[in-house]
Amino acid sequence: MDDIRSTFHDLYGREPECSATAPGRVNLVGEHTDYNGGFVLPTVIPQRTTVELARRPDGLVCAWSANVAEAASQYHLGHEAREGRWIDYVQGVTSVLAAAGHALCGVDIRIDSSVPLGSGLSSSAALEIALLRALRSAFTLDIADVPLARLGQRAENEFVGAPCGVMDQMACSLAEDRVALFLDTRSLEFERVPLPAGTDLVVVNSGVSHHVAGADYATRRRECEEAARLLGVPQLRDLDVKDLDRLAGLPDTLRRRARHVILEDQRVVDAVAAMRAGDRRRLGDLFYASHASMRHDYEVSIPEIDLLVDLARKDPRVHGARLTGGGFGGSIVALAEEGTGREVGERVVREYGARTGRQATVLVPAPVDLDPDPRARAAPAREP
Ligand code: GLA
């Protein structure tokens, strides 16, 4: 096995030809809405995945990750086969690129990520997008950022077997530091919305890991599809708060799932309005409402996550907190007063440890006092 500090040169005896990175993401509100065609509001976290790469003269792909204690994995292009482990994300990417008509040759790959795995912060999408960016650069592929995100999602849906929506890949491909991506997951139209000045975002990873390929996520997705079918609409996105009465005829579980999705879509729209108005309290209230809905109606929270939200809520410096990501473990996101994020996060981690014996981690004590004029921000540059 290669040492965790192995450089590209240590692994392959030469320097990489190119390197690309992609960030993890934290979703502010709009959970389990993407596969229903609805709205989401993610932003990026400072943790990133880096892929270094060099072409090979044959059809072999060699990939090594600093994040798993394993020797490099190998496979032949055109012979991708799911193995049920991390290399599937790499195989998924080369397989969907080939299916989309992009010609590749073999490559040596080194992966290194600071996005914690299974934390609800999109470590898989960060890997897919960083790898797609590196391959785009190495093979001069003509793929813009939105289709690139779609390819990442296809790799995950069709190859890895995780029935995720498009939020994570769109966020990792298009979101920018300290600005939220208000995305319509049906049309893929998006706007960049700065967070209100005077706030810190805090992300706390519970240390309970989740897996989007797990059965619960797929069950929720099927429940939504069934609710939409019974209500006679293509997707739950096609309903809004005026239609809530129509849910009365649904079986109890489906009624609660649909209610979450319809109200969560509305919460995204309301959160964007609150951000534009600089209304931190309203935004925080929407975080709490979203959490309650995920806990009671959508049933994707767990006691450890509820505890983290409750501990954050006890702090008068916190405007709002909620489970972020798919759930069944993972992380919370909280909105706190500017300059208090780290302290709030560390206090929550201490109290959580004392109650549960688990080690949580503060991931983003990042200030979010943002550029008030989003037009001042340049369009996202393509990674080299
Ligand atoms: C996971 C999926 C996303 C989305 C979220 C829940 O992160 O990958 O597509 O469905 O869960 O909002």
Side-chain angles (χ1 to χ4, degrees):
M1 192 195 315
D2 301 287
D3 186 81
I4 199 93
R5 287 173 303 277
S6 298
T7 63
F8 194 93
H9 194 274
D10 295 336
L11 293 162
Y12 302 113
R14 58 191 176 128
E15 293 304 322
E17 286 177 337
C18 62
S19 150
T21 78
R25 67 97 189 94
V26 56
N27 191 22
L28 303 183
V29 66
E31 222 68 80
H32 291 274
T33 47
D34 60 353
Y35 51 81
N36 289 297
F39 302 115
V40 294
L41 194 63
T43 187
V44 300
I45 58 172
Q47 287 75 19
R48 301 182 78 87
T49 297
T50 301
V51 169
E52 295 172 290
L53 174 153
R55 285 169 297 172
R56 303 171 51 100
D58 53 18
L60 200 62
V61 175
C62 297
W64 181 86
S65 167
N67 302 94
V68 288
E70 282 175 23
S73 294
Q74 296 190 344
Y75 64 90
H76 286 275
L77 286 175
H79 296 273
E80 289 87 349
R82 180 154 53 164
E83 295 178 29
R85 51 191 206 95
W86 68 271
I87 190 65
D88 289 353
Y89 293 99
V90 180
Q91 296 198 81
V93 163
T94 58
S95 141
V96 296
L97 277 174
H102 297 288
L104 305 178
C105 64
V107 277
D108 290 331
I109 298 171
R110 180 185 187 277
I111 301 163
D112 197 351
S113 182
S114 56
V115 185
L117 310 184
S119 58
L121 301 170
S122 283
S123 55
S124 30
L127 170 54
E128 291 149 10
I129 299 302
L131 178 58
L132 280 161
R133 284 174 168 172
L135 290 166
R136 175 169 73 182
S137 165
F139 293 95
T140 339
L141 305 177
D142 186 16
I143 311 173
D145 291 332
V146 172
L148 195 87
R150 275 283 191 214
L151 285 167
Q153 185 200 14
R154 273 185 67 191
E156 194 140 343
N157 291 168
E158 294 169 18
F159 194 89
V160 177
C164 63
V166 76
M167 168 172 70
D168 300 349
Q169 291 78 11
M170 283 292 285
C172 295
S173 182
L174 288 139
E176 291 171 33
D177 207 16
R178 310 192 305 165
V179 179
L181 190 77
F182 173 31
L183 171 69
D184 177 337
T185 62
R186 178 178 276 172
S187 67
L188 296 189
E189 281 169 15
F190 59 86
E191 279 174 65
R192 295 192 167 90
V193 188
L195 276 93
T199 51
D200 279 2
L201 270 189
V202 192
V203 176
V204 179
N205 178 5
S206 67
V208 182
S209 88
H210 83 123
H211 189 18
V212 101
D216 293 321
Y217 184 92
T219 304
R220 291 298 176 281
R221 188 171 178 148
R222 267 198 313 277
E223 288 166 345
C224 290
E225 285 160 5
E226 178 62 2
R229 193 185 65 76
L230 292 172
L231 292 162
V233 289
Q235 285 184 298
L236 290 178
R237 155 69 189 273
D238 297 298
L239 300 171
D240 67 26
V241 287
K242 293 189 297 300
D243 299 306
L244 285 172
D245 288 351
R246 290 177 58 188
L247 308 187
L250 292 176
D252 180 60
T253 303
L254 298 190
R255 184 174 52 77
R256 287 183 295 119
R257 304 297 188 247
R259 185 167 61 193
H260 165 77
V261 173
I262 292 169
L263 290 172
E264 187 77 354
D265 267 335
Q266 184 62 45
R267 277 188 285 270
V268 177
V269 174
D270 293 346
V272 170
M275 283 161 63
R276 289 195 169 126
D279 191 342
R280 308 162 207 168
R281 295 210 174 275
R282 171 79 180 128
L283 184 58
D285 287 345
L286 291 163
F287 276 33
Y288 287 134
S290 170
H291 184 75
S293 177
M294 291 176 86
R295 179 176 179 178
H296 301 296
D297 274 354
Y298 217 67
E299 295 178 292
V300 289
S301 191
I302 57 167
E304 289 87 343
I305 292 284
D306 295 335
L307 176 61
L308 286 174
V309 170
D310 289 344
L311 291 172
R313 189 172 202 150
K314 272 188 2 199
D315 196 316
R317 298 166 298 183
V318 172
H319 301 301
R322 57 179 290 277
L323 164 64
T324 187
F328 309 106
S331 303
I332 66 156
V333 59
L335 188 72
E337 276 169 27
E338 184 176 21
T340 69
R342 174 169 288 283
E343 226 178 285
V344 164
E346 285 173 356
R347 187 190 58 73
V348 166
V349 164
R350 261 196 321 277
E351 291 181 20
Y352 174 80
R355 299 255 202 116
T356 63
R358 283 184 181 277
Q359 181 62 57
T361 353
V362 185
L363 277 159
V364 186
V368 288
D369 64 329
L370 296 164
D371 181 346
D373 180 4
R375 286 162 308 181
R377 292 174 178 279
R382 273 165 65 139
E383 293 272 338

